[in-house]
């Protein structure tokens, strides 16, 4: 939960004041470390639950501000997008029934949101990427109007000096430019925190890196973005690219991205890790400072290290070091940021228990992990897990091992021993580790979503398939059964009762086009060979210039000389926009007696509607 009352670092004076505070914070952190002031003898767990708000039609609902006011509870806070909220759970000591208590607390806070949301005709849903998010919901209008988010967006864009570029390739491919950081708002996670001893921080942090690949592989549930099948945990690539401040050029850019797994094993102590991040990443935010951390420390008060917290909050390591103060004592935590939200509360608690169990169950021989494993192999494990989930192999101690085998035969027993050592209730250990183990034998959330989506595409257009998918996610989630027990869905035909169907829901985005200067005879052949009845003609910028139809082919056949297609194309084209109503498109095609409507947005061709697309539309 970051500082929200912030401002951009603009003037030299502002930067000088902030830098002075940041250096004082580092010095204070180092002094606390040298004087052994960090809390000892206790381990705590904590969590941040990010969630999506949806309306009765299963689309994102930009109502976070209104809902937050109605909740009037400091446990809830805003997120980047107006259709997201975050719940901050109170920390618990790692022992006994702490995981059952955390689940009880989480249910309480989610049920409280649900009761308030229900009065506003809304629902909440837990999923890594909400399948019904599309480009309509990624404009500036959907960004939460708070200083922190606006300042980050403007600062990141200024650092990049260009639009952000998104290119993710999986089964399908997304390749798009965007003007804001709002693509980050597609991501929701269940961020787990583990308090660790300061003296053992580096060992624990490196171990967290080593286990990240297999842990994520069993937790994946985000395979869709904009209706495209991409990575099993698409959030990893999406987050990295949505806030990438590095400018693209013809020169090789070797700076580390702000969203990063890291470039090597951490050496030294926790203070060294914070120092490295100050060196690597430019500070972008500041706030009003009313105290000096070194002076506070000298007066016997533990400082909050506000400047360092601001800096750390704009660096998004998948395993992130965090500093905090509890009951007047400083502590260090490791924040796990790669585990997605959902698909059920039971799954989330199981994921957290598995990760925490591995963290505390680290065998002694792994304390020198940098001597046992090459960091590049560990990083590669993480990337493979993000791409392929349980379909990946992990390179573990010098050999490749199937991920399901590594988890079930090595890591689950290891986690169990660690939790028993911390005196966690045996019934919780057995129940939640069994949830993890059953996923290795059935399916992860990502696999269930892929299978369900493909099945729904048999009956629906893409947008309706994502809506029915969200409906199914929600209904399973309400029952709070683990995803390994989720069954195949049955299509809900009531989705077709939606009255305001839009063109973007039905249009074909994969449009075959030709260039105005293309050879007319070749275009005629292409239309015959591919049985295409309507072919838009575009220029170098993608702007629609004309249309060739089936009836033009005969004229092209008898052309004696080679001419460009622009000679035969129709230039008086009737078009429609992606947000226009489908019944209007149908009426327009019937009134004008035409077989297709090119779909144009900002003068650029984005799709096409044909007679086949309107046959099921009722006026």
């Amino acid at each position: 939960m970051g500082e929200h009352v912030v401002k951009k670092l603009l003037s030299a004076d502002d930067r000088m004041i902030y830098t002075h505070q940041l250096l004082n914070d580092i010095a204070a952190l180092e002094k606390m470390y040298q004087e052994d002031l960090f809390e000892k003898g206790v381990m705590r767990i904590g969590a941040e639950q990010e969630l999506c708000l949806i309306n009765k039609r299963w689309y994102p609902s930009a109502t976070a501000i209104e809902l937050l006011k109605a909740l009037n509870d400091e446990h809830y806070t805003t997120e980047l997008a107006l259709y997201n909220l975050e719940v901050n759970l109170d920390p618990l000591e790692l022992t006994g029934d702490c995981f059952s208590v955390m689940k009880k607390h989480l249910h309480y806070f989610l049920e409280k949101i649900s009761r308030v949301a229900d009065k506003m005709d809304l629902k909440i849903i837990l999923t890594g990427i909400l399948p019904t998010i599309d480009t309509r919901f990624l404009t500036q209008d959907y960004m939460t109007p708070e200083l922190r988010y606006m300042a980050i967006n403007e600062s990141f864009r200024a650092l990049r000096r260009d639009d952000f570029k998104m290119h993710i390739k999986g089964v399908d491919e997304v390749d798009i430019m965007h003007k804001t950081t709002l693509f980050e708002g597609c991501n929701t996670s269940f961020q787990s925190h583990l308090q660790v001893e300061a003296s053992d921080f580096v060992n624990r942090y490196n171990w967290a890196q080593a286990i990240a690949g297999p842990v994520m592989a069993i937790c994946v549930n985000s395979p869709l973005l904009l209706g495209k099948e991409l990575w099993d945990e698409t959030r990893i690539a999406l987050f990295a690219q949505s806030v990438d401040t590095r400018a693209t050029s013809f020169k090789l850019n070797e700076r580390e991205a702000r969203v990063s797994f890291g470039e090597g094993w951490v050496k030294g102590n926790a203070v060294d890790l914070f120092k490295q991040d100050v060196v690597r990443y430019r500070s972008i935010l500041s706030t009003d400072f009313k105290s000096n951390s070194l002076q506070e420390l000298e007066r016997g008060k533990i400082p909050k290290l506000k400047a360092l917290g601001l800096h750390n909050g704009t660096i998004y390591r998948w395993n992130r070091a965090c500093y905090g103060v509890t009951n007047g004592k400083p502590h260090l935590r490791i924040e796990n940021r790669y585990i997605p939200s959902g698909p059920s509360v039971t799954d989330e608690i199981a994921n957290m228990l598995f990760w925490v169990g591995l963290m505390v169950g680290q065998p002694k021989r792994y304390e020198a992990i940098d001597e046992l494993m090459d960091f590049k192999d560990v990083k590669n494990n993480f990337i493979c897990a993000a791409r392929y989930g349980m379909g990946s192999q992990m390179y573990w101690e010098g050999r490749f091992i199937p991920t399901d085998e590594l988890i079930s035969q090595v890591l689950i027993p290891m986690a169990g021993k660690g939790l028993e050592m911390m005196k966690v209730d045996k019934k919780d250990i057995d129940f939640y580790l069994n949830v993890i183990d059953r996923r290795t034998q059935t399916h992860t959330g990502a696999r269930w979503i892929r299978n369900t989506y493909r099945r729904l595409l048999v009956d629906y257009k893409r947008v309706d398939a994502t809506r029915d998918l969200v409906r199914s996610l929600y209904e399973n989630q309400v029952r709070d059964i683990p995803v390994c027990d989720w069954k195949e869905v049955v299509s809900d035909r009531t989705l077709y009762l939606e009255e305001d169907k839009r063109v973007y829901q039905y249009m074909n985005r994969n449009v075959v086009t030709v260039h105005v200067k293309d050879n007319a005879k070749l275009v005629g052949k292409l239309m015959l060979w591919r049985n295409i009845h309507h072919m838009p003609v575009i220029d170098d910028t993608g702007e629609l210039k004309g249309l060739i139809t089936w009836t033009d082919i005969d004229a092209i056949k008898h052309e004696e000389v080679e001419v460009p297609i622009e000679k035969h194309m129709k230039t008086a084209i009737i078009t429609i926009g992606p947000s226009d109503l489908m019944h209007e498109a149908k009426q327009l095609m019937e009134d004008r007696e035409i077989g297709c409507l090119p779909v144009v947005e900002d003068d650029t061709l984005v799709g096409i509607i044909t007679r086949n697309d309107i046959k099921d539309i009722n006026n």
Side-chain angles (χ1 to χ4, degrees):
M1 183 177 175
E3 174 74 46
H4 284 250
V5 183
V6 301
K7 57 186 177 182
K8 291 189 292 181
L9 275 172
L10 295 175
S11 69
D13 287 343
D14 284 343
R15 188 163 292 280
M16 187 177 298
I17 292 169
Y18 172 80
T19 303
H20 177 70
Q21 292 286 346
L22 181 60
L23 292 176
N24 275 341
D25 283 359
I26 291 290
L29 183 68
E30 195 157 33
K31 186 176 177 65
M32 286 186 283
Y33 188 85
Q34 291 167 351
E35 295 181 1
D36 200 20
L37 298 180
F38 286 93
E39 188 174 27
K40 297 179 183 177
V42 62
M43 297 186 85
R44 295 187 183 88
I45 57 172
E48 301 168 50
Q49 172 73 74
E50 297 174 349
L51 55 89
C52 293
L53 306 173
I54 54 176
N55 60 29
K56 62 183 180 181
R57 293 174 178 170
W58 312 106
Y59 295 121
S61 177
T63 50
I65 301 297
E66 297 90 330
L67 189 58
L68 199 60
K69 288 178 181 176
L71 287 165
N72 191 28
D73 186 329
E74 63 181 8
H75 287 91
Y76 304 97
T77 186
T78 56
E79 276 291 315
L80 175 64
L82 280 168
Y83 39 80
N84 296 145
L85 276 182
E86 179 178 284
V87 185
N88 292 280
L89 300 179
D90 296 325
L92 299 169
E93 189 172 341
L94 178 58
T95 192
D97 64 349
C98 62
F99 289 100
S100 289
V101 172
M102 179 160 284
K103 183 178 182 180
K104 182 179 178 181
H105 289 177
L106 184 53
H107 270 302
Y108 168 80
F109 287 117
L110 294 178
E111 286 167 6
K112 182 175 180 179
I113 301 179
S114 296
R115 287 194 301 272
V116 176
D118 188 58
K119 295 176 183 177
M120 300 169 64
D121 213 10
L122 303 173
K123 303 179 189 299
I124 64 170
I125 193 162
L126 312 177
T127 186
I129 298 176
L130 181 64
T132 48
I133 292 177
D134 60 44
T135 52
R136 288 179 302 154
F137 305 104
L138 296 170
T139 64
Q140 186 86 28
D141 294 340
Y142 286 90
M143 184 176 291
T144 301
E146 287 194 6
L147 288 174
R148 174 182 175 82
Y149 307 122
M150 298 299 179
I152 287 176
N153 180 63
E154 292 170 12
S155 298
F156 280 10
R157 185 174 170 82
L159 286 172
R160 184 172 172 80
R161 303 191 300 276
D162 196 0
D163 290 342
F164 296 90
K165 180 175 174 58
M166 182 83 58
H167 183 215
I168 308 173
K169 188 172 179 62
V171 176
D172 300 318
E173 186 174 9
V174 166
D175 191 4
I176 191 172
M177 299 293 291
H178 52 109
K179 294 185 177 299
T180 74
T181 58
L182 199 57
F183 263 91
E184 181 200 336
C186 297
N187 292 323
T188 51
S189 60
F190 186 72
Q191 295 163 12
S192 300
H193 292 250
L194 178 66
Q195 182 178 329
V196 298
E197 298 272 346
S199 59
D200 196 34
F201 180 85
V202 167
N203 165 52
R204 296 286 186 181
Y205 185 86
N206 284 335
W207 176 239
Q209 296 282 74
I211 62 175
V215 170
M216 183 169 60
I218 197 66
C219 301
V220 291
N221 79 354
S222 311
L224 299 184
L225 175 66
L226 305 179
K228 304 285 190 178
E229 280 192 53
L230 302 173
W231 295 10
D232 266 24
E233 196 51 50
T234 303
R235 289 170 49 256
I236 303 304
L238 174 60
F239 195 8
Q241 295 185 34
S242 63
V243 295
D244 193 349
T245 58
R246 299 171 300 174
T248 304
S249 71
F250 290 103
K251 303 294 184 182
L252 180 62
N253 193 335
E254 299 199 33
R255 289 188 297 122
E256 194 173 347
R258 293 189 92 93
V259 178
S260 170
F261 185 75
E263 294 301 320
W265 298 116
V266 175
K267 306 290 185 182
N269 57 42
V271 183
D272 295 316
L273 179 57
F274 285 105
K275 285 179 180 177
Q276 289 170 23
D277 284 346
V278 170
V279 171
R280 286 178 178 144
Y281 302 103
R282 183 178 178 85
S283 297
I284 62 171
L285 299 179
S286 186
T287 189
D288 293 327
F289 299 101
K290 297 179 181 179
S291 59
N292 179 301
S293 54
L294 270 178
Q295 291 175 358
E296 283 185 299
L297 193 57
E298 288 168 1
R299 292 196 301 266
K301 182 181 179 181
I302 300 300
K304 291 185 177 180
L305 308 186
K306 207 171 182 180
L308 182 61
L310 273 176
H311 184 71
N312 200 43
T314 61
I315 300 163
Y316 309 98
R317 293 188 179 276
W318 293 112
N319 285 305
R320 183 160 67 180
C322 296
Y323 165 88
V325 181
T326 303
N327 300 325
K329 286 185 172 290
H331 69 259
L332 294 173
R333 306 186 309 277
I334 296 172
E335 179 189 17
N336 179 324
R337 299 176 52 81
Y338 56 79
I339 294 178
S341 176
S344 72
V345 169
T346 294
D347 284 306
E348 291 181 327
I349 300 298
N351 294 341
M352 183 181 191
L353 176 140
F354 181 46
W355 176 69
V356 169
L358 287 173
M359 289 295 296
V360 298
Q362 176 188 15
K364 192 164 186 62
R365 68 192 186 90
Y366 287 116
E367 290 181 0
I369 194 69
D370 57 327
E371 298 175 8
L372 282 176
M373 296 186 185
D374 190 301
F375 184 82
K376 288 187 181 293
D377 289 326
V378 168
K379 187 173 183 177
N380 189 59
N381 285 346
F382 183 78
I383 295 168
C384 287
R387 284 182 177 274
Y388 307 116
M390 290 300 292
S392 60
Q393 289 195 89
M394 298 288 111
Y395 194 74
W396 191 263
E397 291 195 67
R399 71 183 182 97
F400 284 106
I401 180 171
T403 302
D404 58 345
E405 182 182 323
L406 176 63
I407 290 171
S408 61
Q409 297 182 17
V410 179
L411 300 185
I412 287 178
M414 188 187 296
K417 288 178 182 178
L419 294 164
E420 288 175 6
M421 183 179 64
M422 298 303 296
K423 297 183 170 48
V424 173
D425 281 1
K426 188 71 163 60
K427 68 179 189 309
D428 282 351
I429 299 173
D430 291 344
F431 175 77
Y432 288 114
L433 289 183
N434 184 50
V435 168
I436 298 295
D437 193 36
R438 280 190 292 143
R439 274 189 227 150
T440 68
Q441 303 164 36
T442 54
H443 53 249
T444 60
R447 188 72 256 173
W448 184 89
I449 289 172
R450 286 187 190 273
N451 290 345
T452 300
Y453 186 53
R454 292 172 188 177
R455 181 184 178 92
L456 292 171
L457 284 173
V458 174
D459 296 325
Y460 294 136
K461 291 285 186 177
R462 188 171 75 183
V463 173
D464 280 337
T466 61
R467 293 174 61 225
D468 206 2
L469 174 59
V470 173
R471 174 192 67 84
S472 302
L473 281 166
Y474 175 79
E475 291 176 355
N476 278 301
Q477 203 166 94
V478 168
R479 296 161 62 201
D480 194 27
I481 55 175
V483 73
C484 56
D485 293 330
W486 290 14
K487 309 299 182 186
E488 289 187 0
V489 303
V490 177
S491 302
D492 182 1
R493 284 288 176 176
T494 61
L495 286 171
Y496 279 122
L497 299 179
E498 186 181 21
E499 294 177 357
D500 60 346
K501 292 286 191 183
R502 304 282 170 172
V503 168
Y504 71 85
Q505 296 175 260
Y506 281 77
M507 70 185 190
N508 179 7
R509 289 173 167 82
N510 187 19
V511 186
V512 180
T513 62
V514 291
H515 190 273
V516 286
K517 299 300 181 183
D518 281 347
N519 181 282
K521 287 188 175 180
L522 176 60
V523 171
K525 293 292 185 183
L526 290 176
M527 293 180 71
L528 287 171
W529 295 340
R530 299 194 62 170
N531 195 28
I532 296 173
H533 290 240
H534 314 90
M535 187 171 280
V537 185
I538 61 173
D539 64 10
D540 291 332
T541 67
E543 184 176 343
L544 181 67
K545 291 297 184 180
L547 189 71
I548 289 292
T549 66
W550 195 260
T551 55
D552 299 315
I553 292 179
D554 284 337
I556 294 173
K557 282 181 185 176
H558 296 99
E559 193 69 64
E560 294 183 0
V561 295
E562 301 294 328
V563 296
I565 196 64
E566 62 185 340
K567 178 179 177 182
H568 292 280
M569 70 185 187
K570 295 178 176 66
T571 55
I573 318 164
I574 302 168
T575 65
I576 199 161
S579 296
D580 291 337
L581 294 169
M582 273 303 291
H583 73 79
E584 294 175 350
K586 180 179 182 180
Q587 192 66 51
L588 186 58
M589 291 172 72
E590 290 174 349
D591 291 347
R592 297 299 185 94
E593 297 182 343
I594 52 179
C596 78
L597 280 172
V599 185
V600 174
E601 185 175 31
D602 298 330
D603 296 325
T604 300
L605 181 72
V606 294
I608 194 167
I609 289 286
T610 67
R611 286 197 182 98
N612 286 335
D613 299 316
I614 64 170
K615 61 184 179 182
D616 293 327
I617 300 298
N618 297 317
N619 288 331

